[in-house]
């Protein structure tokens, strides 16, 4: 592993090992020159290939012919930001350093800066870090209204960091924490570095879009139902290690009781409901389009259901708001009953009233007649009794 360049009086050693440290002597005639070779080795765990939220471990080992120096270690990440490491072990010969939890943006070339005053050492050692994971937020919420289409997307950074080692994954759905999980699709990376997806569930109505950005996992719900809400978790697996990203799908629906056109003088109750859960600063609100602020009704924070009773036809909107940002709206048109329908209703009401009045009169007349017949029958019974008593008296005489 060594070559001597006589012209320049140089010794070239390749693939240095820790055991190569020592005193090297160059003899030229009666002249002798001594050089101390101090070797430092930096190793990174998992060969520099990590999943997001994993903690890398650096092992710095040194060997020297003289007493080992006390090294100070400074780290700079791929964005040239200084990183304060946690030194797990330090015994001069070996330093074990734990870094922070990695994010996908930490991928790139890092620098380990080594310094010592005696002997004087100022050395920068660069090393590569690749972090495979999702570019989505840790917890993402997606909002949809009933019967509308929605696309759920998870963006991987495998193309960005040129990740060529194989990984697999799957997408699962469950309605809430603790509920049964359903596998919707699984995926893997091909030899060309492309993602290949396979649909697993035939009982759940969803599609895999054909055109999509590279390194993305997508499912499309063509027509969202209220019970399609819940947690959609995409899980990535590499060498028996896992990383995951979750999207919470919140679905909104609106109903009216009674349904149908609103007649004059009647009222209807509009109900707006979301599947939840909501953020701590989220609330629902009903408001008429082109109406006044006095007509707006708001729910309490985090309430998932809001009702409003109205007696005026028109277009009403239910909004889901987080802070000052309207996340989703559902418009509901309350139709006004036609004039002839109102006339029929009024006529039916008047006719019904007259019918009730007539029935009441008929009942009164029938009652009076029944009372009179009852009294007449009573008088006749009394007369028969009286005649019977008179006949009895005549027989006794």
């Amino acid at each position: 592993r060594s070559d001597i360049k006589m012209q320049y009086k140089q010794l070239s050693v390749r693939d240095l090992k820790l055991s190569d440290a020592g005193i090297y002597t160059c003899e030229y005639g009666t002249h002798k020159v001594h050089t101390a070779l101090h070797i430092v080795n930096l190793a990174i765990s998992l060969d520099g290939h990590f999943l997001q939220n994993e903690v890398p471990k650096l092992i710095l080992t040194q060997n020297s012919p003289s007493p080992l120096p006390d090294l100070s270690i400074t780290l700079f990440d791929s964005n040239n930001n200084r990183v304060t490491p946690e030194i797990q072990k330090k015994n001069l010969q070996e330093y074990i350093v734990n870094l922070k939890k990695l994010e996908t943006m930490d991928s790139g070339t890092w620098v380990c800066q080594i310094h010592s005053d005696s002997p004087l050492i100022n050395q920068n050692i660069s090393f590569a870090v690749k972090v495979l994971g999702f570019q989505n937020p840790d917890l993402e919420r997606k909002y949809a209204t009933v019967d509308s289409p929605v696309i759920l997307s998870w963006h991987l950074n495998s193309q960005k960091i040129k990740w060529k080692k194989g990984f697999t994954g799957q997408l699962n759905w469950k309605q809430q924490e603790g509920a049964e999980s359903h596998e919707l699709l699984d995926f893997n990376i091909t030899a060309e570095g492309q993602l290949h997806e396979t649909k697993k569930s035939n009982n759940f109505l969803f599609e895999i879009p054909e055109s999509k950005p590279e390194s993305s996992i997508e499912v499309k719900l063509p027509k969202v139902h209220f019970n399609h809400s819940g947690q959609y978790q995409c899980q990535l697996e590499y060498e028996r290690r896992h990383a995951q990203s979750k999207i919470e799908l919140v679905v909104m629906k609106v109903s009216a009781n009674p349904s149908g056109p609103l007649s004059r003088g009647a009222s209807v109750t509009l109900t707006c409901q979301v599947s939840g859960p909501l953020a701590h600063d989220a609330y629902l609100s009903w408001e008429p389009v082109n109406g006044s602020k006095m007509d707006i009704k708001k729910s309490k924070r985090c309430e998932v259901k809001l009702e409003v009773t109205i007696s005026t036809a028109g277009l009403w909107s239910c909004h889901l708001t987080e802070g000052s940002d309207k996340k989703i709206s559902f418009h509901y048109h309350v139709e006004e009953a036609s004039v002839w329908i109102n006339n029929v209703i009024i006529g039916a009401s008047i006719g019904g009233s007259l019918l009730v009045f007539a029935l009441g009169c008929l009942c009164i007349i029938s009652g009076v007649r029944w009372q009179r017949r009852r009294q007449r029958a009573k008088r006749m019974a009394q007369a028969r009794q009286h005649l019977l008593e008179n006949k009895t008296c005549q027989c006794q005489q």
Side-chain angles (χ1 to χ4, degrees), residues 215-385:
S215 298
S216 67
I217 309 297
E218 290 187 355
V219 295
K220 179 181 179 181
L221 307 180
K223 198 172 183 180
V224 175
H225 299 164
F226 192 72
N227 60 359
H228 287 166
S229 62
Q231 302 171 4
Y232 292 78
Q233 179 174 280
C234 193
Q235 181 173 279
L236 181 67
E237 180 177 349
Y238 174 67
E239 293 186 350
R240 300 184 179 180
R241 291 138 51 203
H242 299 84
Q244 53 272 333
S245 176
K246 183 168 64 176
I247 295 179
E248 188 82 34
L249 179 61
V250 180
V251 182
M252 175 186 286
K253 68 176 181 178
V254 168
S255 60
N257 185 25
S259 59
L262 179 63
S263 58
R264 187 181 305 170
S267 62
V268 62
T269 299
L270 301 179
T271 302
C272 180
Q273 186 175 354
V274 293
S275 55
L278 300 177
H280 69 281
D281 59 345
Y283 63 91
L284 297 172
S285 63
W286 272 113
E287 65 174 291
V289 177
N290 299 326
S292 63
K293 293 184 177 180
M294 299 295 293
D295 296 324
I296 299 177
K297 183 177 181 181
K298 296 182 179 181
S299 70
K300 295 180 181 179
R301 301 280 181 180
C302 297
E303 281 189 345
V304 297
K305 188 176 182 180
L306 178 63
E307 294 182 347
V308 60
T309 301
I310 62 172
S311 56
T312 305
L315 185 62
W316 287 74
S317 296
C318 179
H319 305 290
L320 171 59
T321 307
E322 285 187 10
S324 58
D325 184 19
K326 286 184 180 179
K327 294 294 185 179
I328 192 174
S329 299
F330 202 124
H331 304 294
Y332 190 89
H333 183 66
V334 180
E335 297 182 359
E336 185 176 10
S338 302
V339 176
W340 70 271
I341 294 179
N342 283 326
N343 291 336
V344 169
I345 294 174
I346 294 173
S349 299
I350 295 175
S353 300
L354 292 176
L355 180 61
V356 171
F357 178 74
L359 290 174
C361 293
L362 182 61
C363 289
I364 293 173
I365 294 172
S366 300
V368 171
R369 289 179 178 177
W370 180 79
Q371 186 68 23
R372 286 177 180 177
R373 287 197 300 268
R374 184 179 178 184
Q375 290 177 354
R376 188 182 300 115
K378 187 176 181 180
R379 287 195 300 269
M380 292 178 66
Q382 290 176 349
R384 286 195 297 269
Q385 184 67 27

Side-chain angles (χ1 to χ4, degrees), residues 93-284:
Q93 184 177 5
E94 185 178 70
Y95 298 75
I96 299 179
V97 178
N98 290 329
L99 304 185
K100 63 174 185 177
K101 285 186 177 181
L102 293 176
E103 302 176 7
T104 55
M105 64 183 67
D106 292 323
S107 295
T109 301
W110 289 50
V111 174
C112 178
Q113 190 178 82
I114 303 171
H115 175 77
S116 172
D117 292 327
S118 180
L120 182 60
I121 298 175
N122 283 303
Q123 188 75 30
N124 290 337
I125 305 176
S126 60
F127 57 96
V129 174
K130 289 189 176 183
V131 186
L132 177 64
F134 301 94
Q135 295 174 292
N136 300 54
D138 288 339
L139 175 60
E140 184 179 354
R141 282 190 176 89
K142 189 84 172 181
Y143 301 91
T145 56
V146 168
D147 294 337
S148 67
V150 66
I151 294 179
L152 306 178
S153 301
W154 288 264
H155 304 287
L156 285 168
N157 65 336
S158 58
Q159 290 283 344
K160 184 178 180 181
I161 62 176
K162 295 180 174 57
W163 189 284
K164 295 184 178 180
K165 295 192 175 183
F167 60 84
T168 61
Q170 60 183 17
L171 175 62
N172 302 314
W173 166 73
K174 58 182 177 181
Q175 285 194 285
Q176 58 188 5
E177 286 290 348
E180 182 182 359
S181 180
H182 304 274
E183 184 179 355
L184 302 185
L185 62 87
D186 60 14
F187 57 90
N188 60 0
I189 188 170
T190 64
E192 294 77 21
Q194 301 297 320
L195 283 172
H196 174 71
E197 299 163 320
T198 304
K199 190 173 180 179
K200 300 291 288 187
S201 174
N202 295 321
N203 300 323
F204 192 83
L205 184 61
F206 74 97
E207 302 172 357
I208 302 176
E210 293 183 1
S211 59
K212 53 191 171 183
E214 293 182 346
S215 298
S216 67
I217 309 297
E218 290 187 355
V219 295
K220 179 181 179 181
L221 307 180
K223 198 172 183 180
V224 175
H225 299 164
F226 192 72
N227 60 359
H228 287 166
S229 62
Q231 302 171 4
Y232 292 78
Q233 179 174 280
C234 193
Q235 181 173 279
L236 181 67
E237 180 177 349
Y238 174 67
E239 293 186 350
R240 300 184 179 180
R241 291 138 51 203
H242 299 84
Q244 53 272 333
S245 176
K246 183 168 64 176
I247 295 179
E248 188 82 34
L249 179 61
V250 180
V251 182
M252 175 186 286
K253 68 176 181 178
V254 168
S255 60
N257 185 25
S259 59
L262 179 63
S263 58
R264 187 181 305 170
S267 62
V268 62
T269 299
L270 301 179
T271 302
C272 180
Q273 186 175 354
V274 293
S275 55
L278 300 177
H280 69 281
D281 59 345
Y283 63 91
L284 297 172

